[in-house]
Amino acid sequence: MALTGVEIFKLLPKTNCKKCGFPTCLAFAMKLAQRQAALDACPDVSEEAKQKLSDASAPPVRPVVFGAGERAVKMGEETVLFRHDKRFVNPCAFALEVKDTLSEAEILVRIEEVLNSEIDRVGQKLRVDAIALTNDSNDAERFASAAKVIAEKAPEAPVILCTENLQAAESALKLLAEKKPILFGANPGNYQNMAALAKSYKVALGVTADGPDALSDLTEKIKTLGIEDMLIGSGARKAKDILEHNTLIRRAAVKKNFKPLGYPVVTFARREDSLLETLVASVGVAKYSSIIVLSSIERWKNLALFTLRQNIYTDPQVPMQVEQKVYAIGDANSASPLFITTNFSLTYFIVSGEVENSRVPSYLAVMDCEGLSVLTAWAAGKFTASKIAQFLKESGVENSIKHRELIIPGYVAILSGAIEDKLDGWKVTVGPREANGIPAFLKSRTA
Ligand code: SF4
Protein backbone atom coordinates (compact mmCIF):
# COMPACT_ATOMS: atom_id res chain seq x y z
CA MET A 1 0.00 0.00 0.00
CA ALA A 2 1.08 3.58 -0.58
CA LEU A 3 2.58 5.42 2.37
CA THR A 4 0.94 8.57 3.71
CA GLY A 5 2.78 11.89 3.74
CA VAL A 6 3.43 11.59 7.48
CA GLU A 7 4.80 8.04 7.12
CA ILE A 8 7.14 9.24 4.38
CA PHE A 9 8.17 12.24 6.48
CA LYS A 10 9.33 9.93 9.27
CA LEU A 11 11.83 8.35 6.85
CA LEU A 12 13.31 11.64 5.56
CA PRO A 13 16.39 13.34 7.15
CA LYS A 14 14.21 16.11 8.72
CA THR A 15 16.88 18.79 8.31
CA ASN A 16 14.68 21.11 6.22
CA CYS A 17 17.74 21.92 4.13
CA LYS A 18 15.59 22.81 1.05
CA LYS A 19 17.96 21.04 -1.40
CA CYS A 20 14.93 19.22 -2.84
CA GLY A 21 13.33 22.51 -3.82
CA PHE A 22 10.71 22.38 -1.07
CA PRO A 23 10.81 24.54 2.07
CA THR A 24 10.57 21.61 4.50
CA CYS A 25 10.94 17.84 4.58
CA LEU A 26 7.22 17.64 5.42
CA ALA A 27 6.27 19.61 2.29
CA PHE A 28 8.47 17.28 0.21
CA ALA A 29 6.92 14.23 1.88
CA MET A 30 3.41 15.47 1.04
CA LYS A 31 4.39 15.93 -2.60
CA LEU A 32 5.96 12.46 -2.68
CA ALA A 33 2.76 10.96 -1.31
CA GLN A 34 0.80 12.70 -4.10
CA ARG A 35 3.38 11.46 -6.63
CA GLN A 36 4.16 15.02 -7.61
CA ALA A 37 7.85 14.79 -6.69
CA ALA A 38 10.64 12.25 -7.19
CA LEU A 39 12.57 10.80 -4.26
CA ASP A 40 15.96 11.41 -5.92
CA ALA A 41 15.37 15.17 -5.45
CA CYS A 42 16.55 14.65 -1.85
CA PRO A 43 20.29 13.94 -1.94
CA ASP A 44 20.51 13.04 1.75
CA VAL A 45 17.95 10.27 2.06
CA SER A 46 19.50 7.07 3.48
CA GLU A 47 19.72 3.80 1.51
CA GLU A 48 17.47 2.12 4.05
CA ALA A 49 14.85 4.83 3.70
CA LYS A 50 15.21 4.69 -0.08
CA GLN A 51 14.37 1.02 -0.02
CA LYS A 52 11.30 1.62 2.12
CA LEU A 53 10.21 4.60 0.07
CA SER A 54 10.71 3.07 -3.33
CA ASP A 55 7.16 1.77 -3.34
CA ALA A 56 5.75 5.12 -2.33
CA SER A 57 7.70 7.04 -4.96
CA ALA A 58 7.44 4.56 -7.86
CA PRO A 59 4.70 5.29 -10.38
CA PRO A 60 1.72 2.97 -9.87
CA VAL A 61 1.94 1.78 -13.48
CA ARG A 62 5.41 0.36 -14.02
CA PRO A 63 7.45 2.01 -16.79
CA VAL A 64 8.40 -0.49 -19.51
CA VAL A 65 10.44 0.17 -22.65
CA PHE A 66 10.65 -1.97 -25.74
CA GLY A 67 12.55 -1.53 -28.97
CA ALA A 68 15.95 0.08 -29.22
CA GLY A 69 17.38 3.40 -30.39
CA GLU A 70 15.41 6.40 -31.48
CA ARG A 71 12.17 4.47 -32.11
CA ALA A 72 12.11 2.73 -28.72
CA VAL A 73 8.66 2.90 -27.12
CA LYS A 74 8.20 3.88 -23.49
CA MET A 75 4.99 2.88 -21.73
CA GLY A 76 3.44 3.09 -18.28
CA GLU A 77 4.55 5.57 -15.59
CA GLU A 78 0.96 6.77 -15.34
CA THR A 79 -0.16 8.28 -12.06
CA VAL A 80 -3.73 9.45 -12.59
CA LEU A 81 -7.10 8.19 -13.74
CA PHE A 82 -8.13 11.38 -15.46
CA ARG A 83 -6.03 13.62 -17.65
CA HIS A 84 -7.25 16.79 -15.90
CA ASP A 85 -5.97 15.45 -12.53
CA LYS A 86 -2.41 15.96 -13.76
CA ARG A 87 -1.51 14.55 -17.18
CA PHE A 88 -1.07 11.25 -18.97
CA VAL A 89 2.61 10.49 -19.38
CA ASN A 90 3.45 8.06 -22.19
CA PRO A 91 1.21 7.99 -25.26
CA CYS A 92 -0.11 4.58 -26.23
CA ALA A 93 1.68 2.84 -29.08
CA PHE A 94 0.00 1.49 -32.21
CA ALA A 95 1.26 -1.82 -33.61
CA LEU A 96 0.36 -3.40 -36.93
CA GLU A 97 -0.34 -7.12 -36.85
CA VAL A 98 1.84 -9.18 -39.20
CA LYS A 99 0.77 -12.82 -39.38
CA ASP A 100 3.50 -15.36 -39.93
CA THR A 101 1.18 -17.12 -42.39
CA LEU A 102 1.71 -14.27 -44.87
CA SER A 103 4.14 -14.65 -47.74
CA GLU A 104 7.44 -12.78 -47.59
CA ALA A 105 6.17 -10.28 -50.17
CA GLU A 106 3.05 -9.61 -48.08
CA ILE A 107 5.16 -9.18 -44.94
CA LEU A 108 7.35 -6.68 -46.77
CA VAL A 109 4.29 -4.64 -47.79
CA ARG A 110 3.16 -4.44 -44.17
CA ILE A 111 6.63 -3.50 -42.96
CA GLU A 112 6.68 -0.68 -45.52
CA GLU A 113 3.28 0.51 -44.29
CA VAL A 114 4.64 0.81 -40.75
CA LEU A 115 7.86 2.50 -41.81
CA ASN A 116 6.01 5.00 -44.01
CA SER A 117 3.23 5.77 -41.56
CA GLU A 118 4.85 8.87 -40.07
CA ILE A 119 3.08 12.22 -40.41
CA ASP A 120 3.81 15.65 -39.01
CA ARG A 121 0.97 17.25 -37.05
CA VAL A 122 1.38 20.54 -35.22
CA GLY A 123 5.12 20.01 -35.15
CA GLN A 124 5.02 16.49 -33.72
CA LYS A 125 6.02 13.33 -35.57
CA LEU A 126 3.22 10.76 -35.29
CA ARG A 127 3.46 7.19 -36.52
CA VAL A 128 2.53 3.55 -36.14
CA ASP A 129 5.10 2.56 -33.57
CA ALA A 130 5.62 -1.18 -33.81
CA ILE A 131 5.06 -4.48 -35.57
CA ALA A 132 3.15 -7.26 -33.77
CA LEU A 133 4.27 -10.56 -35.28
CA THR A 134 1.66 -13.21 -34.59
CA ASN A 135 2.27 -16.94 -34.70
CA ASP A 136 -0.94 -17.90 -36.49
CA SER A 137 0.83 -20.90 -38.05
CA ASN A 138 1.84 -22.21 -34.59
CA ASP A 139 4.96 -23.32 -36.43
CA ALA A 140 8.35 -22.34 -34.95
CA GLU A 141 10.18 -22.33 -38.28
CA ARG A 142 7.61 -20.18 -40.00
CA PHE A 143 7.57 -17.74 -37.07
CA ALA A 144 11.36 -17.50 -37.15
CA SER A 145 11.51 -16.88 -40.89
CA ALA A 146 8.94 -14.04 -40.57
CA ALA A 147 11.01 -12.63 -37.68
CA LYS A 148 14.10 -12.80 -39.90
CA VAL A 149 12.41 -10.70 -42.59
CA ILE A 150 11.48 -8.10 -39.98
CA ALA A 151 14.99 -8.12 -38.48
CA GLU A 152 16.53 -7.53 -41.91
CA LYS A 153 14.05 -5.13 -43.47
CA ALA A 154 12.94 -3.12 -40.45
CA PRO A 155 15.86 -3.23 -38.01
CA GLU A 156 14.70 0.01 -36.37
CA ALA A 157 11.05 -1.00 -35.78
CA PRO A 158 10.09 -2.20 -32.27
CA VAL A 159 8.53 -5.67 -32.36
CA ILE A 160 6.01 -7.60 -30.25
CA LEU A 161 6.39 -11.35 -30.61
CA CYS A 162 2.93 -12.80 -30.05
CA THR A 163 3.13 -16.53 -29.44
CA GLU A 164 2.31 -19.06 -26.76
CA ASN A 165 4.55 -21.61 -28.45
CA LEU A 166 7.87 -21.85 -26.58
CA GLN A 167 9.85 -23.15 -29.51
CA ALA A 168 8.56 -20.41 -31.78
CA ALA A 169 9.27 -17.80 -29.10
CA GLU A 170 12.86 -18.91 -28.65
CA SER A 171 13.59 -19.17 -32.37
CA ALA A 172 12.36 -15.58 -32.93
CA LEU A 173 14.09 -14.24 -29.83
CA LYS A 174 17.41 -15.57 -31.10
CA LEU A 175 16.99 -13.32 -34.15
CA LEU A 176 15.46 -10.26 -32.53
CA ALA A 177 16.77 -10.11 -28.95
CA GLU A 178 18.93 -7.06 -29.71
CA LYS A 179 15.84 -5.14 -30.76
CA LYS A 180 14.46 -5.63 -27.24
CA PRO A 181 11.08 -7.00 -28.35
CA ILE A 182 8.18 -7.86 -26.08
CA LEU A 183 7.58 -11.57 -25.72
CA PHE A 184 3.80 -11.66 -25.53
CA GLY A 185 2.28 -15.03 -24.72
CA ALA A 186 2.69 -16.04 -21.08
CA ASN A 187 -0.50 -17.66 -19.81
CA PRO A 188 -1.47 -19.76 -16.78
CA GLY A 189 -0.29 -22.90 -18.60
CA ASN A 190 3.14 -21.83 -19.85
CA TYR A 191 4.22 -18.92 -17.66
CA GLN A 192 7.18 -20.64 -15.98
CA ASN A 193 8.89 -21.47 -19.26
CA MET A 194 7.94 -18.15 -20.83
CA ALA A 195 9.32 -16.29 -17.82
CA ALA A 196 12.56 -18.24 -18.09
CA LEU A 197 12.85 -17.27 -21.76
CA ALA A 198 12.11 -13.60 -21.09
CA LYS A 199 14.67 -13.63 -18.31
CA SER A 200 17.39 -15.22 -20.35
CA TYR A 201 16.85 -12.87 -23.33
CA LYS A 202 16.28 -9.86 -21.05
CA VAL A 203 13.00 -8.82 -22.67
CA ALA A 204 9.65 -7.65 -21.28
CA LEU A 205 7.03 -10.35 -20.89
CA GLY A 206 3.43 -10.00 -22.08
CA VAL A 207 1.01 -11.86 -19.82
CA THR A 208 -2.53 -12.90 -20.70
CA ALA A 209 -5.27 -14.37 -18.55
CA ASP A 210 -9.02 -14.42 -18.52
CA GLY A 211 -9.95 -11.14 -16.86
CA PRO A 212 -8.27 -8.86 -14.28
CA ASP A 213 -8.56 -11.31 -11.33
CA ALA A 214 -6.78 -14.13 -13.13
CA LEU A 215 -4.26 -11.64 -14.48
CA SER A 216 -3.31 -10.33 -11.06
CA ASP A 217 -2.81 -13.90 -9.78
CA LEU A 218 -0.56 -14.65 -12.73
CA THR A 219 1.60 -11.52 -12.55
CA GLU A 220 2.20 -12.17 -8.85
CA LYS A 221 3.44 -15.68 -9.65
CA ILE A 222 5.62 -14.42 -12.50
CA LYS A 223 7.11 -11.73 -10.30
CA THR A 224 8.34 -14.36 -7.88
CA LEU A 225 10.26 -15.85 -10.82
CA GLY A 226 12.30 -12.65 -11.08
CA ILE A 227 10.41 -10.89 -13.90
CA GLU A 228 9.81 -7.18 -13.30
CA ASP A 229 8.93 -5.83 -16.75
CA MET A 230 5.52 -7.13 -17.71
CA LEU A 231 2.63 -6.07 -19.93
CA ILE A 232 -0.83 -7.36 -19.36
CA GLY A 233 -3.77 -8.34 -21.57
CA SER A 234 -7.11 -9.26 -20.02
CA GLY A 235 -8.39 -10.97 -23.15
CA ALA A 236 -11.16 -8.36 -23.57
CA ARG A 237 -12.46 -8.24 -27.13
CA LYS A 238 -15.70 -6.26 -27.02
CA ALA A 239 -15.40 -2.49 -26.61
CA LYS A 240 -17.52 -2.72 -23.45
CA ASP A 241 -15.14 -5.28 -21.89
CA ILE A 242 -12.04 -3.33 -22.93
CA LEU A 243 -13.45 -0.24 -21.25
CA GLU A 244 -14.46 -2.17 -18.13
CA HIS A 245 -11.24 -4.20 -17.73
CA ASN A 246 -8.89 -1.32 -18.54
CA THR A 247 -10.67 1.00 -16.12
CA LEU A 248 -10.65 -1.60 -13.38
CA ILE A 249 -6.94 -2.26 -13.94
CA ARG A 250 -5.96 1.43 -13.95
CA ARG A 251 -8.16 2.18 -10.94
CA ALA A 252 -6.65 -0.70 -8.95
CA ALA A 253 -3.12 0.45 -9.83
CA VAL A 254 -3.58 4.18 -9.27
CA LYS A 255 -6.13 4.37 -6.47
CA LYS A 256 -5.21 1.24 -4.49
CA ASN A 257 -1.55 1.01 -5.53
CA PHE A 258 -2.30 -2.63 -6.34
CA LYS A 259 1.02 -3.76 -7.79
CA PRO A 260 -0.13 -7.00 -9.49
CA LEU A 261 -2.13 -4.87 -11.95
CA GLY A 262 0.35 -1.99 -12.12
CA TYR A 263 1.59 -2.76 -15.65
CA PRO A 264 0.96 -1.30 -19.13
CA VAL A 265 -2.06 -2.85 -20.86
CA VAL A 266 -2.07 -4.38 -24.35
CA THR A 267 -5.32 -4.31 -26.34
CA PHE A 268 -5.96 -6.32 -29.48
CA ALA A 269 -8.43 -4.21 -31.46
CA ARG A 270 -8.26 -6.45 -34.54
CA ARG A 271 -11.52 -6.61 -36.52
CA GLU A 272 -12.39 -7.47 -40.10
CA ASP A 273 -14.43 -4.28 -40.37
CA SER A 274 -11.86 -1.50 -40.42
CA LEU A 275 -14.25 1.18 -39.19
CA LEU A 276 -15.29 -0.97 -36.26
CA GLU A 277 -11.61 -1.65 -35.52
CA THR A 278 -10.97 2.10 -35.42
CA LEU A 279 -13.81 2.58 -32.96
CA VAL A 280 -12.59 -0.25 -30.73
CA ALA A 281 -9.04 1.15 -30.88
CA SER A 282 -10.42 4.57 -29.90
CA VAL A 283 -11.77 3.07 -26.69
CA GLY A 284 -8.27 1.78 -25.94
CA VAL A 285 -6.69 5.16 -26.69
CA ALA A 286 -9.14 6.99 -24.46
CA LYS A 287 -9.10 4.43 -21.69
CA TYR A 288 -5.71 3.28 -20.63
CA SER A 289 -4.30 0.91 -23.26
CA SER A 290 -0.54 1.28 -23.66
CA ILE A 291 -0.31 -0.78 -26.85
CA ILE A 292 -3.10 -1.22 -29.38
CA VAL A 293 -2.67 -3.91 -32.02
CA LEU A 294 -4.41 -3.18 -35.33
CA SER A 295 -5.00 -5.47 -38.29
CA SER A 296 -4.66 -2.68 -40.85
CA ILE A 297 -3.35 0.87 -40.94
CA GLU A 298 -5.10 2.73 -43.71
CA ARG A 299 -4.15 6.40 -43.89
CA TRP A 300 -7.63 7.61 -42.84
CA LYS A 301 -7.52 5.35 -39.81
CA ASN A 302 -4.06 6.55 -38.82
CA LEU A 303 -5.12 10.19 -39.06
CA ALA A 304 -8.14 9.59 -36.81
CA LEU A 305 -6.22 7.56 -34.21
CA PHE A 306 -3.11 9.76 -34.25
CA THR A 307 -5.23 12.86 -33.68
CA LEU A 308 -7.16 11.25 -30.85
CA ARG A 309 -3.96 10.02 -29.20
CA GLN A 310 -2.28 13.38 -29.56
CA ASN A 311 -5.24 15.19 -28.04
CA ILE A 312 -5.52 12.84 -25.08
CA TYR A 313 -1.82 12.76 -24.30
CA THR A 314 -1.27 16.51 -24.61
CA ASP A 315 -0.67 18.02 -21.19
CA PRO A 316 -3.82 20.11 -20.56
CA GLN A 317 -1.85 22.42 -18.27
CA VAL A 318 0.68 23.34 -20.96
CA PRO A 319 -0.71 25.20 -23.97
CA MET A 320 0.72 24.00 -27.26
CA GLN A 321 2.63 26.97 -28.54
CA VAL A 322 5.37 27.98 -30.90
CA GLU A 323 8.10 30.56 -30.47
CA GLN A 324 7.18 34.21 -30.95
CA LYS A 325 8.98 35.54 -34.03
CA VAL A 326 8.55 36.49 -37.67
CA TYR A 327 8.78 33.33 -39.78
CA ALA A 328 9.82 33.52 -43.45
CA ILE A 329 7.78 31.04 -45.49
CA GLY A 330 9.28 30.13 -48.83
CA ASP A 331 11.82 32.45 -50.39
CA ALA A 332 10.38 35.58 -48.76
CA ASN A 333 11.85 38.94 -49.81
CA SER A 334 11.28 42.60 -49.02
CA ALA A 335 8.13 42.73 -51.19
CA SER A 336 6.52 39.64 -49.66
CA PRO A 337 3.17 39.91 -47.83
CA LEU A 338 3.22 40.04 -44.04
CA PHE A 339 0.59 38.09 -42.09
CA ILE A 340 0.09 38.07 -38.34
CA THR A 341 -1.39 35.41 -36.07
CA THR A 342 -1.08 34.05 -32.51
CA ASN A 343 1.34 31.42 -31.22
CA PHE A 344 -1.20 28.60 -30.64
CA SER A 345 0.56 25.66 -32.36
CA LEU A 346 -2.48 24.50 -34.27
CA THR A 347 -3.13 28.02 -35.57
CA TYR A 348 0.50 28.46 -36.58
CA PHE A 349 0.76 25.14 -38.41
CA ILE A 350 -2.57 25.57 -40.22
CA VAL A 351 -1.84 29.16 -41.30
CA SER A 352 1.77 28.46 -42.32
CA GLY A 353 0.60 25.34 -44.20
CA GLU A 354 -1.95 27.34 -46.17
CA VAL A 355 0.60 30.07 -46.96
CA GLU A 356 2.95 27.35 -48.19
CA ASN A 357 0.14 25.86 -50.31
CA SER A 358 -0.37 29.23 -51.97
CA ARG A 359 3.27 29.15 -53.17
CA VAL A 360 3.51 32.89 -52.49
CA PRO A 361 6.61 33.48 -50.33
CA SER A 362 5.42 35.42 -47.27
CA TYR A 363 6.28 36.49 -43.75
CA LEU A 364 4.19 35.24 -40.86
CA ALA A 365 4.50 37.23 -37.65
CA VAL A 366 3.61 34.92 -34.75
CA MET A 367 2.80 36.79 -31.56
CA ASP A 368 3.04 35.27 -28.09
CA CYS A 369 -0.53 35.07 -26.76
CA GLU A 370 0.21 32.30 -24.26
CA GLY A 371 -0.79 29.62 -26.74
CA LEU A 372 -4.31 30.94 -27.34
CA SER A 373 -6.04 30.93 -30.71
CA VAL A 374 -6.83 34.23 -32.45
CA LEU A 375 -10.39 34.78 -31.22
CA THR A 376 -9.69 33.53 -27.69
CA ALA A 377 -6.59 35.71 -27.45
CA TRP A 378 -8.53 38.73 -28.68
CA ALA A 379 -11.35 38.07 -26.19
CA ALA A 380 -8.77 37.67 -23.41
CA GLY A 381 -7.15 41.01 -24.26
CA LYS A 382 -3.88 39.43 -25.41
CA PHE A 383 -4.23 40.11 -29.14
CA THR A 384 -4.99 43.81 -29.10
CA ALA A 385 -4.04 46.70 -31.39
CA SER A 386 -1.48 48.14 -28.99
CA LYS A 387 0.13 44.76 -28.26
CA ILE A 388 0.29 43.92 -31.98
CA ALA A 389 1.85 47.31 -32.73
CA GLN A 390 4.41 46.89 -29.97
CA PHE A 391 5.28 43.37 -31.10
CA LEU A 392 5.79 44.44 -34.72
CA LYS A 393 8.00 47.37 -33.73
CA GLU A 394 10.15 45.17 -31.50
CA SER A 395 10.29 42.28 -33.99
CA GLY A 396 12.48 44.19 -36.45
CA VAL A 397 10.27 43.12 -39.36
CA GLU A 398 10.46 46.67 -40.70
CA ASN A 399 14.04 45.92 -41.72
CA SER A 400 12.97 42.87 -43.75
CA ILE A 401 10.15 44.43 -45.80
CA LYS A 402 9.99 47.60 -47.85
CA HIS A 403 6.18 47.93 -47.75
CA ARG A 404 4.15 48.72 -44.65
CA GLU A 405 1.13 46.45 -45.03
CA LEU A 406 -0.05 44.01 -42.37
CA ILE A 407 -2.60 41.28 -43.12
CA ILE A 408 -4.66 40.42 -40.04
CA PRO A 409 -6.98 37.43 -39.52
CA GLY A 410 -10.53 38.07 -40.75
CA TYR A 411 -11.94 37.18 -37.33
CA VAL A 412 -10.35 40.28 -35.81
CA ALA A 413 -11.26 42.71 -38.61
CA ILE A 414 -12.49 44.98 -35.84
CA LEU A 415 -8.85 45.69 -34.92
CA SER A 416 -7.84 47.12 -38.30
CA GLY A 417 -8.49 50.81 -37.59
CA ALA A 418 -6.97 50.68 -34.11
CA ILE A 419 -3.79 49.01 -35.41
CA GLU A 420 -3.41 51.69 -38.11
CA ASP A 421 -3.74 54.33 -35.38
CA LYS A 422 -0.93 52.68 -33.40
CA LEU A 423 1.38 51.95 -36.33
CA ASP A 424 2.26 55.14 -38.10
CA GLY A 425 2.38 54.79 -41.89
CA TRP A 426 1.05 51.23 -41.93
CA LYS A 427 -1.91 49.92 -43.88
CA VAL A 428 -3.90 47.06 -42.36
CA THR A 429 -5.61 44.60 -44.70
CA VAL A 430 -8.21 42.20 -43.41
CA GLY A 431 -7.38 38.64 -44.52
CA PRO A 432 -9.68 35.60 -44.71
CA ARG A 433 -11.55 34.43 -41.61
CA GLU A 434 -10.45 30.82 -42.17
CA ALA A 435 -6.88 29.81 -43.01
CA ASN A 436 -8.04 27.74 -45.97
CA GLY A 437 -9.02 31.01 -47.70
CA ILE A 438 -5.41 32.20 -47.74
CA PRO A 439 -4.35 30.68 -51.12
CA ALA A 440 -7.32 32.28 -52.93
CA PHE A 441 -6.75 35.53 -51.06
CA LEU A 442 -3.11 35.68 -52.13
CA LYS A 443 -3.95 34.65 -55.69
CA SER A 444 -6.50 37.48 -55.95
CA ARG A 445 -3.79 39.99 -54.96
CA THR A 446 -1.42 38.89 -57.69
CA ALA A 447 -4.08 38.58 -60.43
FE1 SF4 B 1 14.38 17.42 3.69
FE2 SF4 B 1 15.82 16.10 1.87
FE3 SF4 B 1 14.31 18.18 1.15
FE4 SF4 B 1 16.50 18.57 2.62
S1 SF4 B 1 16.42 17.78 0.54
S2 SF4 B 1 14.47 19.50 2.90
S3 SF4 B 1 16.49 16.75 3.88
S4 SF4 B 1 13.61 16.27 1.99
Side-chain angles (χ1 to χ4, degrees):
M1 289 292 288
L3 298 179
T4 64
V6 174
E7 286 167 333
I8 294 171
F9 170 68
K10 286 179 187 164
L11 296 164
L12 293 176
K14 301 189 203 68
T15 57
N16 297 333
C17 71
K18 301 186 177 61
K19 288 185 222 163
C20 56
F22 292 91
T24 62
C25 294
L26 183 60
F28 181 61
M30 292 302 172
K31 286 290 173 189
L32 267 184
Q34 292 162 16
R35 303 182 194 287
Q36 290 172 357
L39 182 60
D40 53 15
C42 172
D44 302 326
V45 69
S46 70
E47 282 307 315
E48 188 195 350
K50 257 187 206 167
Q51 191 59 41
K52 288 186 182 160
L53 287 171
S54 63
D55 258 13
S57 59
V61 181
R62 184 177 173 81
V64 178
V65 179
F66 78 109
E70 190 253 317
R71 291 180 76 116
V73 177
K74 194 169 185 191
M75 301 161 291
E77 265 187 318
E78 304 298 340
T79 58
V80 292
L81 265 183
F82 303 107
R83 194 181 77 134
H84 57 260
D85 285 343
K86 195 176 174 196
R87 70 187 175 100
F88 290 164
V89 181
N90 288 310
C92 58
F94 296 118
L96 176 63
E97 176 189 43
V98 175
K99 296 177 179 173
D100 68 349
T101 47
L102 297 175
S103 68
E104 183 173 336
E106 288 169 323
I107 292 174
L108 287 174
V109 168
R110 292 179 84 75
I111 288 173
E112 281 302 306
E113 283 178 357
V114 172
L115 297 181
N116 296 328
S117 64
E118 186 170 289
I119 63 160
D120 190 320
R121 185 171 185 270
V122 289
Q124 291 181 4
K125 305 276 184 216
L126 309 173
R127 62 185 170 222
V128 174
D129 309 86
I131 292 168
L133 178 62
T134 58
N135 188 204
D136 288 40
S137 68
N138 198 27
D139 179 86
E141 230 173 274
R142 187 134 198 176
F143 195 58
S145 56
K148 189 162 176 260
V149 176
I150 293 170
E152 286 171 359
K153 302 296 179 187
E156 69 275 41
V159 178
I160 308 165
L161 296 171
C162 304
T163 181
E164 295 180 348
N165 177 326
L166 279 169
Q167 248 190 318
E170 178 142 36
S171 59
L173 279 173
K174 278 181 187 159
L175 295 160
L176 291 171
E178 274 184 18
K179 284 162 69 78
K180 292 284 160 220
I182 295 168
L183 173 57
F184 195 91
N187 60 34
N190 69 5
Y191 73 91
Q192 283 154 320
N193 291 330
M194 279 288 184
L197 262 186
K199 206 169 171 183
S200 84
Y201 285 92
K202 298 188 175 64
V203 297
L205 184 62
V207 180
T208 54
D210 197 9
D213 287 343
L215 253 185
S216 64
D217 287 348
L218 192 51
T219 56
E220 273 192 307
K221 286 179 190 159
I222 293 174
K223 193 156 190 262
T224 64
L225 301 173
I227 300 289
E228 298 287 348
D229 287 344
M230 282 183 257
L231 294 104
I232 52 179
S234 70
R237 288 281 297 149
K238 292 181 191 162
K240 166 188 162 292
D241 294 338
I242 292 170
L243 179 66
E244 196 175 302
H245 289 188
N246 285 10
T247 305
L248 201 150
I249 288 168
R250 174 67 68 87
R251 187 173 283 277
V254 167
K255 292 291 179 193
K256 306 285 180 195
N257 205 22
F258 184 61
K259 294 293 179 193
L261 290 177
Y263 299 99
V265 172
V266 181
T267 296
F268 288 83
R270 298 169 301 182
R271 293 289 191 287
E272 275 183 23
D273 177 340
S274 202
L275 182 57
L276 180 60
E277 180 172 292
T278 310
L279 294 172
V280 173
S282 304
V283 174
V285 175
K287 284 294 174 189
Y288 315 137
S289 296
S290 286
I291 297 179
I292 297 168
V293 180
L294 303 161
S295 63
S296 64
I297 50 168
E298 301 89 333
R299 194 167 160 73
W300 64 263
K301 182 193 281 182
N302 292 353
L303 288 174
L305 291 175
F306 290 171
T307 306
L308 178 65
R309 173 176 66 178
Q310 189 178 32
N311 288 343
I312 287 184
Y313 283 88
T314 297
D315 186 344
Q317 296 167 72
V318 181
M320 293 174 75
Q321 47 189 290
V322 293
E323 187 190 348
Q324 164 172 291
K325 68 175 190 179
V326 179
Y327 293 80
I329 299 174
D331 202 5
N333 58 44
S334 61
S336 296
L338 170 65
F339 289 84
I340 189 164
T341 191
T342 66
N343 71 330
F344 176 41
S345 293
L346 199 56
T347 302
Y348 165 75
F349 283 104
I350 290 173
V351 172
S352 61
E354 292 297 345
V355 174
E356 259 178 66
N357 288 346
S358 74
R359 299 185 195 285
V360 177
S362 304
Y363 288 103
L364 177 58
V366 173
M367 189 172 138
D368 182 1
C369 295
E370 297 172 24
L372 299 178
S373 62
V374 168
L375 266 184
T376 317
W378 170 72
K382 297 180 192 304
F383 197 55
T384 61
S386 50
K387 286 180 178 168
I388 289 171
Q390 188 187 351
F391 162 54
L392 283 184
K393 281 178 196 160
E394 290 172 1
S395 71
V397 70
E398 286 175 327
N399 301 324
S400 306
I401 51 172
K402 63 182 181 204
H403 62 80
R404 292 293 178 262
E405 183 192 16
L406 176 67
I407 303 165
I408 63 171
Y411 277 116
V412 287
I414 197 170
L415 291 176
S416 60
I419 297 172
E420 283 182 351
D421 288 347
K422 304 275 179 197
L423 281 175
D424 234 9
W426 280 72
K427 174 188 167 202
V428 173
T429 299
V430 176
R433 287 165 74 95
E434 301 295 341
N436 61 9
I438 289 175
F441 170 80
L442 284 171
K443 202 171 165 195
S444 70
R445 289 162 57 93
T446 51

